[in-house]
Amino acid sequence: MVVNNPRLINLLSEEQKADLASMEKQFAHHLEYTIGKNRYNLKNEDIYKALGHTIRDFLIDRLNFTQERYREQNPKKVFYFSLEFLMGRTLMNALINLGLYETIQEMLRGIGFDLTDVLEFETDAGLGNGGLGRLAACFLDSMATLNVPGFGYGIRYDYGIFNQIIANGSQLEMPDHWDADGVPYEVVRSDISFSVGFFGHTETRVSGKGKIQHDWVPDETVLASAHDYPIPGFNTSTVNYLRLWAAKSSEEFNLDYFNHGDYMKAVQDKSISENISKVLYPNDTTEQGKVLRLKQQYFMVCASLQDILIQFREFKYNLKDLPDFIAIQLNDTHPSIGIAELMRIFLDNEEMDWEPAWEIVTKVFSYTNHTVLPEALESWRVELFEKLLPRHLEIIYEINYRFLTEVRNKGILTESEIQQVSIIEEGNEKRVRMANLAVIGSYRVNGVAALHSDLIQKTIFHAFTKVFPEKFNNKTNGITPRRWLLQSNPNLANLISKKIGNEFTTDLYRLKDLEKFVDDADFQNDWKQVKFTAKNELARIIKSETGITIDPSSLIDVQIKRFHEYKRQLLNILRVIALYRRIKENPNAEVTPRTVVFGGKAAPGYYMAKLIIKLINNVAWVVNRDKDVAERLKVVFIPNYRVSLAEKIIPGSNLSEQISTAGTEASGTSNMKFMLNGALTIGTLDGANVEILEEVGAENIYIFGLHTEEVFRMKEAGYNPTNFIHQNEDLHRILLMIRENFFSMGEPGVFSPIYDSLFYTDNYLLMADFTSYDETQNRVAQDFRDETTWTKKSILNVARSGKFSSDRTIREYAKEIWKVPLLDTIPPQTIYKLPQN
Ligand code: 26Q
């Protein structure tokens, strides 16, 4: 008999079973005394909360145990600095990693509750925008699982990424008050808080040693208060933590105002300081330069560095040894002000000389770049910087001066290259370029997929590679197989474990062992059955979220990701329109039934991205109501795409859309999630798709479109989209349908900007790639009709997805960048010590 949940993967020890009784007690205790309920009026929500508190107790036991272990062994630690952690839900992940899923399921069944229903009450922690934030979350899971002493540092936003609703086809944004009902697994560390200064001026003085010293005198201070989120490793006793800072007013009340009778003003000031951690900025390159965003960045970095240095000082080592004990990874440039802040601490507080201070700093930080698009590189107006962080600007000028002098003296750069590597961008509005600061202040700089790491060295950082050839390297992204297979697709995980055992859960390359069953007819059937069950479940979710009925046996074709022009959701919907037209014109054509699913948010200020969402919704409205195509084509936009929805959508997908213009998507990570769940990819040679192709083989993936070099060449030669439009009659007609308001739904002209952008500029070369995309989609449709061949390809995709585990990525970071150890696993059961009530 096959187990239908992770029990096989994570067998309970005898000791754990013995603990079940005490866990039941603990649970009953929380239900009654923490939640305040008796057993006569229980709802799923109460069970969720009591369970959250019960699991929290388990987590805290192991968290303390792990901390004790670190204190004894004092290994080198890594701190992952990120303005975003897209954690999604926590409870199910904790149950699986702790090996308690089955136990708890049984326990709840005993009192008439279904664990799956209970888990639906958890709100996602959406403290991130997309790929970059989710990557940080996957890395935390892998670090804990591999027993790496690794910690996340970020901000505890009151409001995470907005909730999206669709009205008249358009996106509307609603606040995401994710912690409204409390966060059971959060550990509030009221005793850990640091003050963070802003604004003010700098002063100079002569120190006791006769040296000129600088001091920053801020005129606003805010407190950062620590909130910890335990991060349990899978099948190990290690529980690390994510520490998020919340802003607190440094004075409950401004007594000055109060004493002068202005009570309201006194309270207002308090809430103004607390604004710093109020809301996550939706990633929006058009809306750069908001002072609150820079405040958030410095707030997070300043508090984190104080916290890290306090911990370091407990061991009484000299600061020059800091790089032997800590490594800090910068998740993009967002926390890169940390480089200037650590310099400030060393120079101004520790009164160190510049050279030794710089020596330490540049052995501590490393920087991960997540974009090649020059318009997405972060920079701040010098004027704004100077007001908010006057001392840091002085330090940045000094870093820059010394660096530029050195490269000039070495004579390796041309004058134009020297301008490119300068931290300060000259011009009528001087700006601080954070990427340049990050490269100069870090000992390693990495991209997130092989192609991307090459590309940044050839383009945005080319001049830097001449100065620091040894700094640049690649770390191809990965995803955690715990959340993205065991948790999201337990049926598939169980089918796999029945065939090849459980080792794949922590050594994903073991999935290779599935290859020997690829021709086994029984196995193929089981595989098809698992996929079909997941597709039925997805159909049910689509019905409940959108009201649309889909055919679960149709080709389920999915594009879920943030909306951005470079990701080309527009190319996908154009091809849907082409298919729709073809069916209408040729009603008897044999067409593979297809359901095209979209999901994703657009930055609130990103006009084009929002218009594309509207076009998709309007096309869906027209297509889904047309009886002529009913059995053959459906279009679905699932609102409010988020981590917990991804977990439900991905297992039920057949086709993964990864269709960005070559050279624009740094890596992509949903491409990996689909592969691991047996969907086939249609994609360009972009980001990690290139490596997916390498792993899976050309017969098992659908690659189309221009290559990166061709994109560059075409743009250089002066790209003209009309050449392509006039070569493809179909394409031309589709564009006319858009212009002639076929999908405008009573808003004539609404999509003209889309038409115009395709016709006149087409920055992302949709027109150049359309024919290739369309033909490849036709091939997909043909191939899907041969169920056995498709199933084999699906099996091979999973079997060859081993490389894309974030465990592999973290091993590489640990060995090649951080030089931190992977400690021994201590089996989980050896530390259970539940309190006996
Ligand atoms: C910038 C300025 C102001 C406010 C916010 C931002 C901002 C916030 C988030 C800019 C960018 C981001 C996020 C970028 C991101 O998610 N990049 C993605 O990172 C993934 C993980 O490496 C890659 O797989 C994707 O290819 C990349 O697009």
Side-chain angles (χ1 to χ4, degrees):
M1 172 53 192
V2 190
V3 288
N4 60 2
N5 61 46
R7 178 205 283 227
L8 239 195
I9 296 159
N10 215 330
L11 268 177
L12 282 187
S13 70
E14 285 311 308
E15 223 168 331
Q16 280 171 306
K17 281 178 194 154
D19 279 333
L20 179 57
S22 93
M23 178 149 55
E24 279 173 351
K25 266 193 185 170
Q26 190 82 341
F27 175 73
H29 174 90
H30 281 301
L31 206 47
E32 183 164 5
Y33 297 105
T34 311
I35 313 305
K37 290 280 175 133
N38 65 40
R39 65 197 162 94
Y40 299 109
N41 55 1
L42 291 177
K43 300 197 183 74
N44 275 326
E45 200 174 349
D46 308 314
I47 304 290
Y48 161 69
K49 287 182 180 166
L51 193 55
H53 284 278
T54 310
I55 295 311
R56 179 187 199 262
D57 294 345
F58 268 72
L59 290 169
I60 289 181
D61 268 351
R62 293 173 177 211
L63 183 71
N64 290 338
F65 167 85
T66 307
Q67 281 304 104
E68 241 163 74
R69 188 180 185 205
Y70 293 157
R71 206 165 324 207
E72 273 164 24
Q73 302 188 8
N74 193 25
K76 186 171 180 183
K77 301 185 179 102
V78 56
F79 300 96
Y80 199 83
F81 278 20
S82 179
L83 272 285
E84 309 195 0
F85 287 90
L86 193 49
M87 301 298 284
R89 290 175 176 165
T90 288
L91 191 50
M92 182 171 184
N93 178 249
L95 292 176
I96 288 177
N97 282 14
L98 294 168
L100 293 172
Y101 187 85
E102 170 112 316
T103 314
I104 297 288
Q105 192 176 47
E106 292 299 325
M107 184 181 89
L108 292 191
R109 204 172 283 151
I111 56 169
F113 284 87
D114 177 45
L115 179 55
T116 310
D117 297 341
V118 166
L119 294 172
E120 279 301 308
F121 274 87
E122 184 170 352
T123 309
D124 284 37
L127 308 185
N129 273 286
L132 166 152
R134 184 55 230 175
L135 185 74
C138 284
F139 281 3
L140 295 179
D141 184 85
S142 284
M143 289 194 289
T145 298
L146 295 173
N147 307 291
V148 168
F151 305 87
Y153 274 90
I155 295 178
R156 189 194 185 288
Y157 301 106
D158 294 338
Y159 295 88
I161 188 67
F162 62 84
N163 283 314
Q164 176 193 57
I165 58 173
I166 301 294
N168 281 326
S170 302
Q171 166 179 298
L172 295 181
E173 299 91 22
M174 300 299 227
D176 166 47
H177 199 181
W178 69 286
D179 68 348
D181 294 330
V183 185
Y185 43 84
E186 174 177 70
V187 185
V188 182
R189 305 277 186 204
S190 325
D191 54 326
I192 302 180
S193 76
F194 298 99
S195 53
V196 178
F198 297 103
F199 303 108
H201 63 278
T202 62
E203 292 176 353
T204 46
R205 63 182 160 88
V206 178
S207 75
K209 297 178 195 150
K211 232 178 81 190
I212 292 188
Q213 284 297 140
H214 301 267
D215 291 307
W216 174 28
V217 188
D219 66 21
E220 180 187 329
T221 57
V222 177
L223 286 182
S225 140
H227 294 61
D228 289 353
Y229 302 82
I231 309 292
F234 176 77
N235 243 338
T236 171
S237 60
T238 300
V239 174
N240 292 332
Y241 57 81
L242 163 62
R243 179 158 288 177
L244 299 181
W245 302 104
K248 290 258 155 234
S249 171
S250 55
E251 292 154 281
E252 203 49 32
F253 245 39
N254 185 325
L255 282 179
D256 232 25
Y257 291 126
F258 190 56
N259 293 338
H260 291 87
D262 198 343
Y263 168 79
M264 293 309 285
K265 179 84 174 119
V267 177
Q268 262 169 31
D269 274 13
K270 170 176 152 72
S271 69
I272 287 169
S273 345
E274 293 176 1
N275 272 344
I276 291 178
S277 57
K278 191 63 69 190
V279 57
L280 167 80
Y281 271 82
N283 144 12
D284 187 346
T285 44
T286 58
E287 241 205 303
Q288 275 197 18
K290 292 279 190 295
V291 67
L292 186 61
R293 168 81 181 175
L294 184 57
K295 264 188 145 178
Q296 288 183 338
Q297 297 178 351
Y298 179 65
F299 169 78
M300 179 252 143
V301 153
C302 175
S304 304
L305 286 173
Q306 291 183 66
D307 193 36
I308 291 168
L309 288 175
I310 280 201
Q311 292 177 41
F312 175 75
R313 284 203 177 88
E314 282 175 21
F315 290 98
K316 311 260 182 260
Y317 289 102
N318 195 299
L319 274 178
K320 75 171 175 17
D321 299 323
L322 191 67
D324 297 333
F325 291 95
I326 75 159
I328 298 176
Q329 189 68 35
L330 303 172
N331 198 18
D332 215 292
T333 54
H334 314 151
S336 60
I337 185 64
I339 291 165
E341 172 65 2
L342 193 57
M343 278 304 279
R344 189 190 66 81
I345 294 169
F346 289 167
L347 297 171
D348 300 359
N349 302 1
E350 303 295 327
E351 305 198 351
M352 283 165 81
D353 290 334
W354 184 279
E355 292 80 3
W358 185 243
E359 171 95 11
I360 301 171
V361 167
T362 50
K363 285 181 179 161
V364 163
F365 290 99
S366 37
Y367 153 55
T368 304
N369 170 282
H370 298 264
T371 182
V372 253
L373 303 181
E375 70 270 23
L377 292 179
E378 202 183 13
S379 72
W380 296 98
R381 278 183 17 245
V382 161
E383 205 191 317
L384 176 152
F385 213 103
E386 190 168 21
K387 277 194 191 126
L388 188 70
L389 301 168
R391 179 61 185 139
H392 296 81
L393 185 65
E394 290 176 2
I395 290 170
I396 287 171
Y397 276 144
E398 181 72 19
I399 294 173
N400 200 37
Y401 172 77
R402 286 170 181 256
F403 172 68
L404 294 182
T405 307
E406 195 184 315
V407 293
R408 266 208 187 89
N409 289 342
K410 284 189 182 156
I412 40 178
L413 297 187
T414 64
E415 213 29 63
S416 126
E417 286 172 327
I418 289 178
Q419 276 181 33
Q420 289 166 41
V421 297
S422 172
I423 303 175
I424 306 300
E425 181 184 323
E426 306 288 342
N428 41 9
E429 191 184 63
K430 287 216 274 178
R431 303 182 73 91
V432 184
R433 295 165 168 155
M434 301 310 271
N436 292 27
L437 174 63
V439 171
I440 296 166
S442 298
Y443 65 99
R444 288 290 183 272
V445 177
N446 73 282
V448 288
L451 174 78
H452 168 67
S453 299
D454 273 0
L455 218 47
I456 58 178
Q457 293 178 61
K458 289 187 179 134
T459 59
I460 51 176
F461 298 143
H462 181 67
F464 277 119
T465 61
K466 299 187 179 175
V467 189
F468 307 120
E470 73 295 343
K471 278 193 191 183
F472 292 89
N473 71 100
N474 174 245
K475 294 285 166 283
T476 298
N477 282 167
I479 56 168
T480 171
R482 271 73 62 185
R483 181 173 299 259
W484 299 109
L485 180 55
L486 306 196
Q487 176 178 327
S488 66
N489 203 344
N491 293 333
L492 186 61
N494 284 306
L495 173 59
I496 293 170
S497 75
K498 195 176 65 165
K499 278 294 184 207
I500 64 168
N502 301 329
E503 283 100 337
F504 71 95
T505 58
T506 51
D507 177 7
L508 205 63
Y509 282 113
R510 293 296 297 272
L511 288 175
K512 267 249 129 48
D513 298 347
L514 287 173
E515 286 196 28
K516 47 177 183 289
F517 305 104
V518 70
D519 293 316
D520 174 335
D522 289 339
F523 184 60
Q524 290 169 1
N525 272 328
D526 290 347
W527 193 272
K528 261 190 278 183
Q529 194 50 53
V530 165
K531 188 49 107 178
F532 190 64
T533 305
K535 290 173 72 174
N536 269 300
E537 178 59 13
L538 177 55
R540 193 187 63 75
I541 286 158
I542 288 174
K543 180 80 190 173
S544 78
E545 300 290 311
T546 67
I548 300 169
T549 307
I550 68 155
D551 170 7
S553 59
S554 64
L555 166 59
I556 299 192
D557 170 349
V558 183
Q559 188 170 19
I560 43 176
K561 49 184 79 252
R562 284 300 287 254
F563 270 80
H564 200 294
E565 287 162 285
Y566 83 77
K567 296 179 187 280
R568 302 202 294 190
Q569 284 95 350
L570 181 54
L571 179 61
N572 186 344
I573 198 69
L574 289 178
R575 201 269 164 183
V576 169
I577 298 172
L579 185 57
Y580 173 66
R581 254 183 44 82
R582 260 169 234 157
I583 304 174
K584 292 289 280 184
E585 288 202 339
N586 198 348
N588 300 319
E590 223 190 320
V591 173
T592 306
R594 190 189 284 250
T595 304
V596 186
V597 178
F598 293 87
K601 295 172 184 176
Y606 192 165
Y607 175 78
M608 259 302 174
K610 288 177 110 170
L611 199 56
I612 293 166
I613 289 180
K614 189 178 177 82
L615 177 62
I616 291 171
N617 278 295
N618 285 10
V619 170
W621 202 91
V622 171
V623 169
N624 297 341
R625 270 160 195 74
D626 192 328
K627 299 234 164 19
D628 299 348
V629 303
E631 309 302 304
R632 287 172 283 183
L633 180 61
K634 283 277 160 73
V635 181
V636 178
F637 185 97
I638 309 184
N640 208 28
Y641 177 61
R642 59 195 187 279
V643 173
S644 60
L645 253 188
E647 290 166 17
K648 295 172 180 148
I649 296 171
I650 293 168
S653 306
N654 295 120
L655 187 65
S656 156
E657 298 269 352
Q658 308 298 338
I659 61 177
S660 52
T661 316
T664 62
E665 187 71 275
S667 161
T669 43
S670 76
N671 45 2
M672 304 170 185
K673 294 164 196 167
F674 281 106
M675 182 191 194
L676 180 59
N677 284 274
L680 274 55
T681 302
I682 182 165
T684 48
L685 284 178
D686 201 16
N689 298 352
V690 176
E691 289 157 82
I692 291 181
L693 164 66
E694 246 167 51
E695 296 297 303
V696 83
E699 332 75 66
N700 303 305
I701 187 168
Y702 297 90
I703 297 293
F704 73 95
L706 296 171
H707 298 192
T708 304
E709 311 74 52
E710 296 170 324
V711 169
F712 277 100
R713 260 185 268 133
M714 198 171 273
K715 287 199 151 184
E716 247 155 50
Y719 170 64
N720 184 356
T722 49
N723 296 340
F724 293 94
I725 297 169
H726 291 131
Q727 273 170 35
N728 184 326
E729 189 50 36
D730 242 20
L731 182 53
H732 196 198
R733 291 224 187 104
I734 298 162
L735 294 190
L736 288 181
M737 280 170 87
I738 293 175
R739 194 179 65 181
E740 283 160 15
N741 297 310
F742 197 88
F743 303 105
S744 297
M745 318 260 310
E747 292 178 79
V750 62
F751 298 123
S752 310
I754 289 182
Y755 174 88
D756 289 345
S757 94
L758 290 174
F759 208 88
Y760 299 111
T761 46
D762 191 21
N763 282 132
Y764 297 99
L765 279 65
L766 281 73
M767 300 298 95
D769 273 347
F770 182 83
T771 305
S772 166
Y773 179 57
D774 186 32
E775 287 170 1
T776 308
Q777 283 287 21
N778 291 337
R779 211 149 52 77
V780 169
Q782 249 331 300
D783 289 2
F784 187 71
R785 305 174 82 87
D786 179 351
E787 255 197 288
T788 305
T789 310
W790 186 275
T791 301
K792 284 188 196 172
K793 289 180 204 268
S794 168
I795 295 169
L796 289 177
N797 266 268
V798 176
R800 297 173 181 175
S801 64
K803 177 174 182 185
F804 304 106
S805 168
S806 48
D807 297 346
R808 188 268 311 147
T809 314
I810 286 298
R811 282 180 198 278
E812 291 178 6
Y813 275 96
K815 181 153 179 257
E816 296 161 24
I817 301 183
W818 304 331
K819 317 276 187 216
V820 296
L822 276 54
L823 303 182
D824 295 333
T825 292
I826 296 185
Q829 57 270 32
T830 59
I831 63 148
Y832 273 111
K833 46 171 188 183
L834 268 179
Q836 304 293 312
N837 311 329

